[in-house]
Amino acid sequence: MHYFNGTGWIARFTGTETTMARAVDVDAWDEATGVALVVDTERGVRRPVTDYPDFSHLARADQVVAALPGGGWRAYWKDEGPDGGPLTEPVLAWLITSTGSATAITVDATAHVDNADSADRLIPPDEG
């Protein structure tokens, strides 16, 4: 599974008695201290990760630097279709990350968009 955000970092929190463990996008960096900042949705402000007692660590996230058309590629799952049969969905786009990896983004018959990380294979346009 890919996790994308603008800064390329997420903050991991272990949880407390009143909050669940979670991963939060690092929104910015404090210019004076260099500490990662996250949005506190309850207070409506940015806060340093070190203000949270359950802050665990920072982890890398993928930064999308480009999106390319699907180009006729398809994603194939051998047992995700009706009655546990095969399923094929068109690749809508390829997300390209700052590390050069590409993630296939598919669209299903109901216009639901998702990544194809769990696909059994990707089928090129000249095949089939």
Side-chain angles (χ1 to χ4, degrees):
M1 181 174 119
H2 291 279
Y3 189 86
F4 302 106
N5 77 14
T7 64
W9 292 93
I10 56 173
R12 298 258 184 208
F13 298 88
T14 58
T16 66
E17 289 183 16
T18 58
T19 60
M20 294 178 58
R22 63 210 179 280
V24 179
D25 286 343
V26 170
D27 188 58
W29 304 93
D30 184 291
E31 290 184 24
T33 64
V35 173
L37 302 173
V38 295
V39 174
D40 181 333
T41 57
E42 292 178 13
R43 292 185 183 175
V45 297
R46 284 180 176 159
R47 288 179 55 194
V49 293
T50 51
D51 280 3
Y52 293 86
D54 64 330
F55 170 66
S56 172
H57 64 281
L58 296 178
R60 288 226 179 246
D62 289 323
Q63 284 180 288
V64 175
V65 296
L68 303 173
W73 283 75
R74 294 170 290 142
Y76 172 82
W77 292 264
K78 63 182 174 186
D79 56 5
E80 296 292 322
D83 301 321
L87 173 68
T88 303
E89 292 180 351
V91 173
L92 175 67
W94 295 94
L95 298 183
I96 310 302
T97 69
S98 59
T99 62
S101 67
T103 298
I105 304 298
T106 58
V107 59
D108 70 12
T110 65
H112 175 78
V113 175
D114 202 355
N115 68 56
D117 286 348
S118 66
D120 293 306
R121 75 184 275 238
L122 294 168
I123 303 169
D126 60 351
E127 190 177 310

